[in-house]
Amino acid sequence: MQNWRRNKFAFSVLFLPPAAWLVIFFTLPLAIVWVYSFGARGPLGEIILDWSAVSLGNYARSLEWINLEIVAKSIWIAVVATAICIGLGFPLAMGIAFASPRYRNILLLLVILPFWTNLLIRTYAWIAVLRERGHVNFALEWLHDTINGGLAVLGLPALLGAFEPLQLLYNQNAVIIGIVYVNLPFMVLPLYATLEKLDRSYLEASLDLGAGQWRTLFSVTVPLSLPGISTGVLLTFILALGSFLTPDLLGGPDSIMIGNLIAQQFGSARDWPFGAALSFLLMYATFIILWVKAMVAKREGGSAF
Amino acid sequence: MMNRIKAGRVTRRDFLVGAAAAGVAIGAHSRIARSAEEKKLNVYNWDTYIGETTLSTFTGSTGIEVQYDFYANNDELFAKLKAGNPGYDVIIPSDSYVADMISLDMLMAIDHGKIPNLKHIDSDPNFSNPPFNPGLKYGVPYLWGTIGIGYRKSKVENPDSWGLLLDSDKYSGRIALMADARSVMGLALKYLGFSMNSQNQAELDKARDLLIKQKVHIKTFAEDNGQDLLLSGECDIVMEWNGDIIHAAEEDDDVGYVVPKEGTQVWIDNVCIPVGAPHPENALLFLNHLLDPQVNAEIANTIKYATPNKAARELVSPEDLANPAIYPTPEVVARSESLVSVGEFTPAYDKAWTEVQAA
């Protein structure tokens, strides 16, 4: 087979447009933001970039206790959301991978389907589901009234008392529900890709040799799908860590995450240099995680993804 | 050329010009003012903040097509224009933002000779010569209003103080404040008896501590949707812009609006022309159109905000004129303040606000 690298002309024709796109719309703007991160905020929110103002002050400021607290909380929320995504995503991916080929594509489509609707609209839909006079509470109220009504028919006193709606919205749990919902497909898809390619004869061998279903799951299936798990965990965690819209719309008075803090710097605080520094710290953290993953994968002899 | 190199200091816009030369800001600055302007106008405004017939009558009388675009808050507007005007001719920033934009050379001085309807503006210096825009040199007042308490009448009795929102557990879990650093910090300062524009760290700390203490009773900092929280029954008492609550009250009789006794934040939005506007002459025609008493009254009657246009007020529905939620009494205005830029002190507000949110 001819190596594609040898055909320099075809290669450059194909390579140039995406490379130019990447440089103009990604690398250059990012470089500008990177330069900003060493600047200072003027009294009216202008960006001061002369040599005497250039400093690491913004980075030092991002290490202030209050900002570290927000980072720690964001990491915690991302960890919890990622864990829930695994718990939900693994059985889901297994179900799809082991379903008959007829249904497999339909099931996959159902996982991807939410992407066809704008995130903002999907998040507002969660408000309608979770709020006090939302669908969950309506269902609970109906159940509650039915039970009380049934007791009344039997001549018994209403045991459950008056219905108190659950406070499901505007708190940390709502944020986690929202983040899990948004990111679940990013967990399911890599898991599915791994599980689908899994050699079924290993599972059969395990069952034939006397291991139960659970033992087979945890000793054979899970270890064999580790590459998919780690990719899914990484994707979900990184995306969850940068969440901004979800805590904004579903969160309570203490749901600020690092993404919101950054957004505020570019908005009301008008402190683009500090916002730029925070963004780059988040990005460095992401790179470190990716690097660790690549190192681990290398040592195990697999590919990074 | 709008960009000047200031001695020894590269401002953001200067930097952007360099970046544009490097090919980054493709298209952003490509429009060149023409001697004979094309019949187009790009208006950047808040959503639902214009009359029903305003644009069609303008196009009808001038033949100028209006391209209309929305922003959700002043910060969005400011951030977008700070990076260089992407092609807007008319913007509608609030008071303190006008002051900042003037200082940063982001607004064009308007030619009063081309706006004959300017004579209709109320001679009250709050409107005709406001401190944030002396002599109306950089724009004309559009509409004004207050921030106050929106509440559910059947659940909340006579909410006459900010204390019910900021310093009380009476409506615990049924309270929403706005997600606006300056307004929320400012009204906490106001409740404590300080100026909304305080530049005193000790006062700011007290306001911050008040909010942190109250947080357990606050359901959320609403992103400009306090009226929805009232309507859906999620909250019973919210801090909101008067217009939003007035609209909610039109849908639901049980919703009321009141300005607390401590006074509040009074705001005036202004129609301005940003530097770099591709159609400044058309923009002046539009400014004049907005100040036409008929047009102006139609806007006020549609969106229920107070107009500073004296001739237009003759045509505003008497019901609205008598409604203190729309036209607050002079006593209320006297007790209130507008936000002004706090300059170097802004990061202190931002830090306090971050601490409130993170606590």
Side-chain angles (χ1 to χ4, degrees):
Chain A
M1 201 174 77
Q2 194 190 9
N3 190 332
W4 59 271
R5 280 175 212 270
R6 290 216 192 110
N7 195 338
K8 289 247 163 62
F9 178 72
F11 174 70
S12 46
V13 164
L14 286 174
F15 177 75
L16 266 179
W21 180 273
L22 205 65
V23 168
I24 293 173
F25 295 110
F26 182 73
T27 316
L28 269 177
L30 213 58
I32 294 174
V33 176
W34 186 73
V35 171
Y36 282 169
S37 72
F38 299 100
R41 180 194 194 277
L44 295 167
E46 61 272 54
I47 294 165
I48 302 174
L49 273 177
D50 69 46
W51 282 111
S52 62
V54 164
S55 76
L56 289 170
N58 294 312
Y59 290 94
R61 196 177 142 199
S62 33
L63 298 177
E64 278 176 20
W65 181 242
I66 177 85
N67 298 317
L68 291 180
E69 250 180 288
I70 294 173
V71 169
K73 192 159 70 181
S74 308
I75 291 175
W76 172 239
I77 290 178
V79 165
V80 172
T82 307
I84 297 175
C85 276
I86 285 206
L88 295 174
F90 198 85
L92 187 56
M94 242 174 85
I96 299 174
F98 294 149
S100 81
R102 259 179 71 201
Y103 297 112
R104 210 177 285 164
N105 283 337
I106 298 174
L107 290 172
L108 261 187
L109 186 73
L110 288 177
V111 171
I112 306 168
L113 205 61
F115 285 124
W116 296 3
T117 311
N118 183 287
L119 174 62
L120 192 65
I121 293 168
R122 285 185 281 147
T123 309
Y124 271 107
W126 271 108
I127 294 180
V129 171
L130 294 177
R131 66 184 171 200
E132 260 180 44
R133 286 164 64 192
H135 301 298
V136 171
N137 273 315
F138 283 151
L140 288 175
E141 191 173 10
W142 176 83
L143 199 68
H144 177 276
D145 290 351
T146 312
I147 293 173
N148 266 355
L151 290 173
V153 167
L154 296 173
L156 295 167
L159 278 177
L160 295 172
F163 176 73
E164 275 292 323
L166 294 180
Q167 297 295 328
L168 301 169
L169 194 55
Y170 303 120
N171 52 42
Q172 220 71 275
N173 296 338
V175 174
I176 290 175
I177 290 174
I179 293 178
V180 167
Y181 164 75
V182 169
N183 294 316
L184 191 58
F186 296 105
M187 180 66 86
V188 172
L189 294 179
L191 280 178
Y192 167 78
T194 317
L195 286 167
E196 200 244 310
K197 279 182 284 183
L198 196 79
D199 191 339
R200 304 292 154 86
S201 49
Y202 289 125
L203 308 186
E204 285 160 16
S206 165
L207 291 169
D208 284 350
L209 293 171
Q213 291 286 359
W214 289 109
R215 179 102 195 261
T216 304
L217 176 67
F218 287 109
S219 306
V220 182
T221 318
V222 170
L224 282 176
S225 49
L226 272 181
I229 294 177
S230 63
T231 304
V233 164
L234 264 186
L235 265 179
T236 314
F237 179 78
I238 290 171
L239 289 170
L241 190 62
S243 296
F244 142 70
L245 191 71
T246 314
D248 233 19
L249 291 179
L250 303 181
D254 56 354
S255 295
I256 186 173
M257 287 178 69
I258 181 79
N260 306 93
L261 185 64
I262 293 173
Q264 278 174 21
Q265 302 314 313
F266 286 92
S268 59
R270 276 193 233 159
D271 198 341
W272 288 29
F274 182 48
L278 284 172
S279 314
F280 267 87
L281 283 181
L282 190 61
M283 202 146 70
Y284 294 145
T286 309
F287 283 149
I288 290 172
I289 298 170
L290 288 174
W291 179 75
V292 168
K293 151 122 173 130
M295 285 297 114
V296 171
K298 209 171 175 185
R299 196 185 306 155
E300 287 171 359
S303 72
F305 286 98
Chain B
M1 192 70 192
M2 63 188 240
N3 302 285
R4 298 181 296 229
I5 308 292
K6 287 176 186 135
R9 191 171 103 181
V10 181
T11 66
R12 206 194 107 76
R13 268 183 289 149
D14 302 325
F15 185 78
L16 253 204
V17 169
V24 176
I26 290 171
H29 296 275
S30 62
R31 281 170 240 234
I32 299 156
R34 274 152 246 195
S35 48
E37 276 178 16
E38 52 181 346
K39 294 274 189 191
K40 278 189 182 149
L41 183 74
N42 304 320
V43 176
Y44 197 28
N45 191 2
W46 307 71
D47 197 2
T48 61
Y49 204 45
I50 199 156
E52 273 164 23
T53 59
T54 319
L55 298 181
S56 57
T57 50
F58 178 67
T59 306
S61 63
T62 60
I64 296 169
E65 290 294 330
V66 178
Q67 172 77 38
Y68 205 74
D69 220 350
F70 304 120
Y71 55 89
N73 55 53
N74 280 305
D75 297 318
E76 191 184 333
L77 168 74
F78 190 91
K80 202 152 181 179
L81 285 167
K82 202 168 86 160
N85 183 355
Y88 295 115
D89 298 304
V90 173
I91 56 172
I92 309 196
S94 307
D95 30 44
S96 69
Y97 287 81
V98 172
D100 285 357
M101 287 177 148
I102 293 171
S103 312
L104 292 169
D105 298 325
M106 290 164 71
L107 298 180
M108 280 167 73
I110 55 169
D111 181 353
H112 284 196
K114 299 214 165 126
I115 312 180
N117 284 332
L118 208 55
K119 63 174 183 279
H120 299 305
I121 294 292
D122 196 325
S123 61
D124 178 336
N126 281 325
F127 304 123
S128 63
N129 190 24
F132 58 84
N133 180 19
L136 301 182
K137 198 174 164 205
Y138 291 95
V140 298
Y142 183 53
L143 295 165
W144 66 284
T146 51
I147 292 177
I149 297 180
Y151 65 105
R152 188 156 282 284
K153 292 177 190 163
S154 56
K155 300 267 177 68
V156 176
E157 207 178 320
N158 186 28
D160 63 340
S161 166
W162 287 118
L164 288 171
L165 286 159
L166 302 174
D167 194 11
S168 150
D169 60 359
K170 194 168 173 194
Y171 300 106
S172 183
R174 316 293 304 165
I175 300 170
L177 304 185
M178 305 197 314
D180 183 313
R182 280 297 308 279
S183 292
V184 174
M185 294 298 301
L187 289 169
L189 284 162
K190 190 103 191 139
Y191 169 72
L192 293 170
F194 307 125
S195 163
M196 291 192 73
N197 300 303
S198 167
Q199 296 199 34
N200 177 322
Q201 188 64 50
E203 294 177 0
L204 199 61
D205 288 349
K206 281 184 193 156
R208 177 201 62 197
D209 294 342
L210 178 76
L211 288 167
I212 289 175
K213 191 168 124 258
Q214 180 70 1
K215 255 180 71 170
V216 289
H217 306 304
I218 297 171
K219 191 159 215 170
T220 189
F221 296 117
E223 293 284 341
D224 202 18
N225 64 343
Q227 69 277 18
D228 299 331
L229 297 175
L230 267 188
L231 286 174
S232 69
E234 197 75 27
C235 290
D236 294 329
I237 181 163
V238 303
M239 177 188 283
E240 251 309 336
W241 307 104
N242 60 333
D244 289 333
I245 300 299
I246 290 161
H247 286 288
E250 282 174 354
E251 283 178 47
D252 185 341
D253 288 343
D254 198 27
V255 168
Y257 177 85
V258 73
V259 173
K261 61 183 181 219
E262 294 91 357
T264 188
Q265 175 184 335
V266 173
W267 52 265
I268 307 176
D269 286 341
N270 307 269
V271 198
C272 302
I273 306 176
V275 163
H279 316 101
E281 293 298 319
N282 296 350
L284 286 168
L285 287 174
F286 189 68
L287 260 60
N288 193 48
H289 179 72
L290 289 180
L291 293 182
D292 176 88
Q294 297 274 355
V295 173
N296 199 277
E298 195 268 329
I299 296 171
N301 282 325
T302 307
I303 57 177
K304 309 284 180 200
Y305 280 101
T307 173
N309 190 314
K310 209 166 182 181
R313 277 207 291 265
E314 311 280 323
L315 306 167
V316 168
S317 86
E319 241 175 276
D320 288 356
L321 288 174
N323 184 348
I326 303 177
Y327 291 89
T329 61
E331 296 80 61
V332 166
V333 175
R335 270 179 272 131
S336 301
E337 291 174 77
S338 330
L339 285 186
V340 299
S341 177
V342 287
E344 308 264 7
F345 203 67
T346 313
Y349 272 90
D350 177 56
K351 181 148 192 268
W353 180 239
T354 306
E355 283 165 349
V356 168
Q357 289 172 288

